[in-house]
Amino acid sequence: MASIGLVAAVVWQVGGFSTDPNPPATPTQTTVTDEPTTGPSDPTEQPTETPTNSESETPTGDATDGSEPSTPPETETETPPMAWSPDQLPVCGEPFALPDADLALTVETGPDGPVAPGGVFQSAVENPTATAVSGSAASPFAVVVNDGVVVATQTNFVLQGGEGTPILALSSGGESQLPVVIPPGCDGGELSPGRYETFVLVALGSANTDGSVMMGAGGPWALDIADDGSDGQDWSRTLPVGGVPFPDVCGDSWDLGEPSTGMELELVHDVRSPRSASDDIEGDVRITTTKAMTDVVLYTHILILQDGVQVSAPVPANDNVMRVFMSPSASLTARIYSGLTGCDGALLPAGEYEAAVLLLGSDGTTPQVVARSELMPLVIE
């Protein structure tokens, strides 16, 4: 999988890092939004769209023309944001300390052992509030100080929302591990080996309709920049245990087992039937987990069957990838989309079909089904 690198931008708000996810069909990033997408697009290796930082409380979806939407999950109540003023942000060559403020998130841990210059360490971020939070732009970064003075930090702060940015979902009291990148030194080069201290700041674009920013911070912790040539701490993406391999072969019988990953997928809206083959399926799903999900690449797919045989086109190359960090009992909303095309790329003929929404995970090899809906009747007129 791709490495993790810092992203710089031009807004003063707190910033983040970005990676290039690499699932098998080369989708690149999902945008969690309440507006329909325009359909699959060509695969890219670099960010192509900017997700919004909010999710709708009443997302639009596929239930129209008289069909009834399923009952959506209870909407999370708003968590009061805490935004820092510019004079509280770290500045190279100046002293830095955490502000005396009640932040929405807390950072509980710092480095655990030596870290290579420009390397990555894990930091636990907790939601101490009474309500669940989620957002599409969690952006942790380190502020490195020596004798209390900033010697390494980001110089341009933005709540990064491009592809590869983590999506963080925390239940009340929930915690998730996030990767934190050591920034370049204030002189533009890598930090010299030695002993420093580091703070960790995190910004989360909230799921609240006002698009507010939630802030979190912790530290200082001891930071040892490795001087032995080692890579220091490692970070790698994972797949949920209990997924079911998905070969995605047109014309095959569908004999898919039941995933046991602890993840569940619930349709926010019913898939309307009957419908025309030219009427794309669009909507939202709610994803929940009973287990911690740390840096998991996920994307949705709609599978169409006829007489138990897969007749829909394979997973298209698109921009519907999520890089998620979730605590147990957390949930988030994702978008689903499918054109009603067959194995040959043409519109499916009129007839009776079945459809299932799949949540796929990838580590760059064969995708796995980590959650799925039940089969639903689908009539194409």
Side-chain angles (χ1 to χ4, degrees):
M1 303 300 293
S3 61
I4 299 173
L6 285 170
V7 175
V10 293
V11 185
W12 73 264
Q13 269 292 9
V14 175
F17 59 91
S18 177
T19 65
D20 296 323
N22 187 28
T26 57
T28 53
Q29 171 74 23
T30 195
T31 298
V32 180
T33 176
D34 56 0
E35 293 298 327
T37 59
T38 56
S41 62
D42 293 333
T44 60
E45 293 184 359
Q46 297 298 325
T48 56
E49 297 182 11
T50 300
T52 59
N53 288 338
S54 63
E55 299 169 3
S56 171
E57 294 183 2
T58 55
T60 59
D62 197 62
T64 57
D65 294 347
S67 61
E68 293 296 326
S70 59
T71 301
E74 292 184 5
T75 302
E76 297 154 359
T77 57
E78 180 176 336
T79 300
M82 173 58 197
W84 289 2
S85 62
D87 60 358
Q88 293 174 309
L89 292 169
V91 177
C92 273
E94 295 186 4
F96 178 80
L98 295 180
D100 184 14
D102 185 15
L103 302 180
L105 304 173
T106 58
V107 181
E108 298 292 330
T109 59
D112 181 17
V115 184
V120 180
F121 64 87
Q122 298 184 35
S123 205
V125 179
E126 182 183 10
N127 170 26
T129 70
T131 58
V133 297
S134 64
S136 59
S139 304
F141 68 96
V143 179
V144 183
V145 299
N146 188 17
D147 293 330
V149 174
V150 176
V151 295
T153 185
Q154 288 183 241
T155 55
N156 296 307
F157 301 101
V158 63
L159 187 59
Q160 170 65 21
E163 295 165 16
T165 302
I167 297 174
L168 179 64
L170 300 175
S171 57
S172 174
E175 179 182 285
S176 181
Q177 297 288 331
L178 287 177
V180 180
V181 179
I182 299 296
C186 290
D187 60 1
E190 292 183 341
L191 286 176
S192 301
R195 170 63 66 92
Y196 302 86
E197 287 187 320
T198 184
F199 299 86
V200 174
L201 309 184
V202 59
L204 176 62
S206 77
N208 305 323
T209 55
D210 63 0
S212 58
V213 176
M214 287 175 280
M215 301 293 299
W221 295 282
L223 171 64
D224 290 320
I225 299 298
D227 59 0
D228 58 1
S230 68
D231 292 333
Q233 298 180 15
D234 294 326
W235 180 269
S236 60
R237 294 204 175 101
T238 60
L239 270 177
V241 176
V244 179
F246 178 55
D248 189 30
V249 178
C250 261
D252 279 4
S253 297
W254 195 51
D255 185 19
L256 189 66
E258 185 70 33
S260 58
T261 60
M263 303 194 80
E264 296 182 357
L265 181 150
E266 176 188 3
L267 272 69
V268 176
H269 300 93
D270 295 326
V271 173
R272 176 169 45 81
S273 179
R275 66 195 307 144
S276 167
S278 61
D279 184 8
D280 300 331
I281 297 175
E282 298 180 74
D284 297 275
V285 292
R286 176 71 72 176
I287 299 168
T288 59
T289 180
T290 60
K291 302 177 182 178
M293 297 291 156
T294 303
D295 212 348
V296 177
V297 175
L298 300 175
Y299 51 106
T300 59
H301 177 59
I302 300 177
L303 184 73
I304 301 175
L305 310 172
Q306 190 172 49
D307 298 327
V309 175
Q310 180 177 336
V311 296
S312 55
V315 177
N318 58 65
D319 289 335
N320 290 334
V321 169
M322 299 171 289
R323 182 182 172 212
V324 303
F325 297 76
M326 303 176 71
S327 69
S329 302
S331 64
L332 56 85
T333 301
R335 195 73 180 159
I336 59 172
Y337 169 86
S338 178
L340 298 179
T341 55
C343 298
D344 58 0
L347 295 178
L348 289 168
E352 295 184 357
Y353 300 86
E354 291 181 300
V357 179
L358 308 181
L359 182 64
L360 303 178
S362 172
D363 60 359
T365 58
T366 302
Q368 292 191 2
V369 180
V370 298
R372 65 177 177 87
S373 72
E374 298 296 326
L375 285 170
M376 301 165 284
L378 175 64
V379 176
I380 297 178
E381 296 180 330

